[in-house]
Amino acid sequence: MKKFITVILAAALSLTMLASCSSEPKDNTSSNISEESSSSQTSESSTTESEENKEFVIYYPSYMKETEGEKLVLPQKPQKVVVLSNSAMQILVRCDVKPIAFRKSPDYINFPDWVKELPVIETGMNNLDLETVISMEPDLVIMGNHLKETYEKQLKDANIPVYYTSEGPSISYKEVKEEAMVFARSFGSEEMAKEIENEFKAVEERAEKFRSSTSSKKAMVLFGVPPAYQQTSMSYFGSILSMLPYENISDKLVDASLRMAPLDLEKLVELNPEVIFALSPTAPTADALEKLYKEEFNKNAKIWMSLDAVKNNNIIYLSNEYVTSKGIHIINSINSLIDMLETKFGSDKTSAKAETTEVTINYPASMKEKGFTEALTLKKMPEKVVVMSKAPVLALHELGVKMIAIPKGGAIQWPADLESSTEKLDIGMNSNFDIETVIALEPDLVILGANSKDTYGKVLSEANIPVYYVDAGHTVPYSSVKDQTMALVDAFGQSSDKSKELIARFDALEKKLNEMQSKYSNKSVMVLQSAPPSHYIQTESGSLATMAKMMGFKNVYSNSTSPMALLDMEQAISYNPDLVLCVGGSPNGEDHKKVMEEDFAKNPNYWNSIPAIKDGKVLYFSSKYIANTGIGFIDNMEDFINTIESFYKE
């Protein structure tokens, strides 16, 4: 029976042409693997330049050692690596390893621009452009073990070492995590490995927190369109679901180790799950999948409408992001799934001790990259919060956090009740703020911009005042704004109606932007942040530039080291953008327009050599578009959309 199911599954996945899909590792040992055994995996494989001639070791995760051996040993650190695995590529990028070629990657994995410029190797479930790979003369190829049987001999004959990964709908969360840590320890530093390990720990803690605050529900995972398979708790998505408050009833129907099995509709009706999770490799988005499922429901209404999950609209439609292993991106996937479930179901367990229980504020990924990896835990819900950065104020207010002092609003107009109930702190860029003023307020929490850690943060810590740091400043991208808001929601809101409203606002904005991406994808933009005579140019990570990117515009300027740089006047002539966006310290766009046009008039020959400026294709924005305003970004983005739409209608 087991063999029969495996054959059916393989055929189904082949029909979907799912890239990188694999079943469990086959019992074939690579000739490139050293036969030496090792009792531990503590060896530091990442080398410095002075160690480049030393032996380089990449261990295999425990679940692959039986088939692949203990480790792959190379005579030295590889310099020409071809990576045909998304999971491996994500870690190599984090470790600043730049391969010579890559495969096509999913759009939702946010690789740096330089990755998109690499030569692309065509790969599929059973095919590989091997001729191109061999012609590159790599000293290491990393690829899925589903390609091993077909291409191992040819790569061996070409004397090209290969490290095999296990990918697809059969690899579990624990296996994804272990493989990620193997790559991190091999190609990166111990600090990098620890950072990645902490990111896994954080999502596990969030999952456990959600699990403990929500009653368990009977669930089933349906796979394919129309649904032809069910997934157990040992499949890729099933293993994610097992971390959450859902009982996978397929584990009672079939051997969980099968990971996937044919769906029995009669058993589905008999067991009547409270929640159904639906996914398919052929449906790229949740909306597309929902449409296909509803067509199936109409065809077989008698069966489907007998299910409580269908009648109560408790079907969670998922994009194909959840179909197969995506390496460390699984962390983003789990967080997004929990966001989705919290919005739909919320937390239904309450505690009389809620006010006195510990409160943990985790750091989002953007802050972890800055070194803030340890969550802040408070003994109880804070009641005297001082906020020294504008970014989190509005979200905290929405979530009902009791703030006693906040920054002066400036370009931001605080809500009337917040304005009247809080002390205002003058912590502007040019102010000489006395941190003792804050200490005198005796706060039980201070929220502070990360760039003040070594100044104000140090003083507050020495005074035994808990401090939580946020991403603040002029170059905070949308992803950081959203992730930071979600961290605050997790700590202070969770299942409250206000938290659901916040999440819904982000979702609505993203849906709106997705619909207009193609409209502006053929247009380029240059973003200037100016205080004439000084002019800076933003990359797509800049505050205003990230808005343009979200609408589909291509930024003419890129810089991997900084989201903003002093404008190279000579180089700027060659950019030739379709549109120029200008932002500065003025209270409104019209005032900034006057400031910029006065500067343009001082050097007209230069500025008019940029066609967009000469032709008046310039838009001006106020200071509220410079600094991170937290959820104020949503309103700013709506205004920005309206400004762009109006400009192009004219």
Side-chain angles (χ1 to χ4, degrees):
M1 176 65 178
K2 196 170 183 177
K3 182 177 180 182
F4 172 72
I5 292 172
T6 302
V7 170
I8 292 177
L9 176 59
L13 295 179
S14 295
L15 289 173
T16 64
M17 299 183 70
L18 176 61
S20 298
C21 175
S22 69
S23 45
E24 293 188 73
K26 299 177 183 176
D27 191 14
N28 292 319
T29 303
S30 169
S31 59
N32 296 312
I33 305 298
S34 167
E35 296 300 327
E36 286 183 44
S37 62
S38 174
S39 61
S40 70
Q41 195 171 309
T42 59
S43 171
E44 175 77 41
S45 299
S46 181
T47 59
T48 63
E49 288 185 13
S50 62
E51 297 173 321
E52 283 185 356
N53 293 324
K54 289 186 178 181
E55 219 173 45
F56 187 80
V57 180
I58 317 176
Y59 287 92
Y60 272 101
S62 60
Y63 61 92
M64 292 186 71
K65 285 181 179 178
E66 184 178 344
T67 59
E68 307 299 340
E70 184 82 14
K71 55 192 174 182
L72 172 65
V73 180
L74 302 174
Q76 62 184 23
K77 185 175 182 178
Q79 302 299 311
K80 298 174 65 179
V81 185
V82 171
V83 181
L84 306 178
S85 161
N86 277 301
S87 58
M89 188 65 172
Q90 290 174 69
I91 301 296
L92 265 60
V93 167
R94 292 282 292 272
C95 296
D96 201 28
V97 175
K98 296 188 177 181
I100 59 172
F102 184 42
R103 54 170 295 172
K104 185 177 180 181
S105 64
D107 293 337
Y108 49 77
I109 297 181
N110 189 23
F111 284 120
D113 288 342
W114 64 260
V115 174
K116 301 169 188 176
E117 296 171 0
L118 291 174
V120 176
I121 303 297
E122 296 296 332
T123 62
M125 191 175 74
N126 296 309
N127 65 284
L128 165 66
D129 182 3
L130 190 64
E131 185 177 340
T132 299
V133 172
I134 292 175
S135 70
M136 291 181 168
E137 300 181 349
D139 46 15
L140 176 65
V141 170
I142 301 175
M143 69 183 191
N145 64 348
H146 59 286
L147 298 169
K148 179 178 179 181
E149 186 174 348
T150 307
Y151 300 105
E152 178 185 25
K153 185 178 184 304
Q154 292 162 279
L155 289 164
K156 179 183 176 182
D157 290 344
N159 293 317
I160 297 174
V162 182
Y163 182 91
Y164 294 100
T165 61
S166 181
E167 303 178 28
S170 295
I171 184 171
S172 68
Y173 168 81
K174 288 183 179 178
E175 292 165 343
V176 170
K177 178 181 177 180
E178 186 180 354
E179 184 174 84
M181 296 313 302
V182 163
F183 279 115
R185 292 192 177 104
S186 294
F187 288 93
S189 63
E190 277 302 319
E191 290 78 10
M192 176 61 71
K194 184 64 177 176
E195 180 180 310
I196 293 172
E197 187 175 37
N198 285 337
E199 290 173 22
F200 278 107
K201 181 181 178 182
V203 78
E204 289 165 11
E205 289 175 348
R206 185 186 180 195
E208 179 54 36
K209 189 174 181 180
F210 179 57
R211 184 186 182 92
S212 63
S213 65
T214 308
S215 299
S216 179
K217 294 179 176 64
K218 293 192 303 179
M220 185 173 276
V221 182
L222 304 187
F223 187 91
V225 180
Y229 297 93
Q230 58 187 313
Q231 289 191 340
T232 73
S233 59
M234 292 183 68
S235 66
Y236 177 68
F237 179 74
S239 69
I240 294 175
L241 196 63
S242 69
M243 300 166 67
L244 306 176
Y246 296 93
E247 176 192 356
N248 193 328
I249 58 180
S250 290
D251 288 357
K252 297 179 178 179
L253 295 176
V254 298
D255 182 353
S257 65
L258 289 175
R259 308 196 180 205
M260 189 131 52
L263 177 64
D264 185 330
L265 284 176
E266 289 185 4
K267 285 292 183 182
L268 173 64
V269 173
E270 179 184 329
L271 292 173
N272 195 19
E274 298 171 82
V275 183
I276 289 174
F277 292 86
L279 60 158
S280 173
T282 59
T285 66
D287 289 342
L289 183 62
E290 182 176 3
K291 181 179 179 181
L292 294 170
Y293 261 69
K294 287 185 176 178
E295 290 175 359
E296 171 64 17
F297 294 164
N298 291 334
K299 292 177 185 175
N300 298 283
K302 186 175 181 180
I303 292 176
W304 292 106
M305 294 311 296
S306 67
L307 296 171
D308 287 343
V310 177
K311 287 187 290 187
N312 298 329
N313 195 29
N314 283 344
I315 301 182
I316 308 298
Y317 297 100
L318 301 167
S319 70
N320 61 11
E321 171 183 346
Y322 292 90
V323 169
T324 62
S325 166
K326 299 297 184 299
I328 197 173
H329 186 78
I330 195 172
I331 295 172
N332 301 62
S333 299
I334 294 173
N335 278 317
S336 296
L337 179 64
I338 295 175
D339 290 344
M340 194 185 311
L341 295 172
E342 285 180 335
T343 300
K344 186 168 182 64
F345 298 115
S347 301
D348 52 16
K349 288 183 180 178
T350 58
S351 170
K353 298 181 180 179
E355 298 248 337
T356 59
T357 53
E358 286 186 344
V359 175
T360 299
I361 321 175
N362 290 304
Y363 282 106
S366 59
M367 290 297 288
K368 287 177 179 177
E369 291 174 0
K370 298 176 184 292
F372 297 89
T373 56
E374 296 295 328
L376 175 66
T377 299
L378 307 173
K379 292 181 179 180
K380 64 176 185 178
M381 184 67 71
E383 296 183 346
K384 296 175 67 178
V385 181
V386 172
V387 185
M388 297 179 64
S389 166
K390 295 177 184 178
V393 171
L394 292 172
L396 292 170
H397 180 59
E398 292 284 339
L399 295 169
V401 175
K402 298 176 182 178
M403 291 174 280
I404 59 174
I406 61 176
K408 289 183 177 179
I412 304 173
Q413 189 171 16
W414 300 128
D417 58 334
L418 184 63
E419 184 74 31
S420 62
S421 64
T422 56
E423 182 174 335
K424 305 304 174 298
L425 306 174
D426 186 4
I427 52 176
M429 185 179 297
N430 298 318
S431 66
N432 186 18
F433 183 73
D434 183 4
I435 193 63
E436 294 296 329
T437 303
V438 171
I439 295 175
L441 295 172
E442 299 182 352
D444 47 13
L445 173 64
V446 172
I447 299 179
L448 184 62
N451 55 354
S452 297
K453 179 183 178 183
D454 295 332
T455 52
Y456 300 148
K458 182 179 179 182
V459 177
L460 291 167
S461 296
E462 289 174 351
N464 295 317
I465 295 174
V467 182
Y468 179 78
Y469 296 94
V470 294
D471 205 358
H474 298 179
T475 54
V476 181
Y478 169 79
S479 59
S480 296
V481 172
K482 181 180 179 181
D483 290 348
Q484 183 65 77
T485 303
M486 292 306 105
L488 296 176
V489 166
D490 290 343
F492 299 113
Q494 290 203 332
S495 62
S496 69
D497 290 339
K498 285 295 183 181
S499 67
K500 293 176 183 178
E501 290 173 14
L502 281 177
I503 295 169
R505 289 178 67 192
F506 281 110
D507 291 342
L509 176 63
E510 290 170 9
K511 183 177 181 181
K512 183 175 184 178
L513 289 167
N514 286 337
E515 292 171 353
M516 62 173 55
Q517 277 274 330
S518 59
K519 185 174 182 180
Y520 297 102
S521 61
N522 64 338
K523 297 186 183 299
S524 60
V525 67
M526 179 167 71
V527 182
L528 298 179
Q529 183 171 322
S530 307
S534 297
H535 300 276
Y536 291 82
I537 186 167
Q538 292 186 2
T539 71
E540 61 183 24
S541 297
S543 54
L544 184 60
T546 196
M547 293 185 175
K549 178 187 176 183
M550 292 172 71
M551 286 190 70
F553 286 91
K554 181 179 179 181
N555 198 314
V556 297
Y557 177 73
S558 62
N559 183 335
S560 60
T561 60
S562 174
M564 187 170 71
L566 189 65
L567 181 68
D568 185 329
M569 305 288 279
E570 183 176 350
Q571 181 66 32
I573 296 175
S574 66
Y575 291 149
N576 193 23
D578 295 306
L579 180 65
V580 176
L581 307 179
C582 295
V583 64
S586 302
N588 57 66
E590 281 302 312
D591 283 352
H592 189 56
K593 180 179 181 180
K594 292 177 183 176
V595 170
M596 291 296 291
E597 287 186 340
E598 286 175 3
D599 193 68
F600 291 164
K602 292 176 183 177
N603 192 359
N605 291 336
Y606 170 77
W607 290 110
N608 286 333
S609 65
I610 299 174
I613 293 178
K614 180 182 178 182
D615 297 336
K617 296 179 179 179
V618 186
L619 295 175
Y620 302 88
F621 298 87
S622 71
S623 59
K624 73 176 184 179
Y625 288 87
I626 290 183
N628 176 14
T629 59
I631 62 172
F633 181 98
I634 298 174
D635 291 334
N636 289 349
M637 187 73 224
E638 291 284 357
D639 291 341
F640 179 78
I641 291 171
N642 293 336
T643 300
I644 295 293
E645 292 277 74
S646 296
F647 176 81
Y648 278 104
K649 279 182 182 178
E650 295 173 3

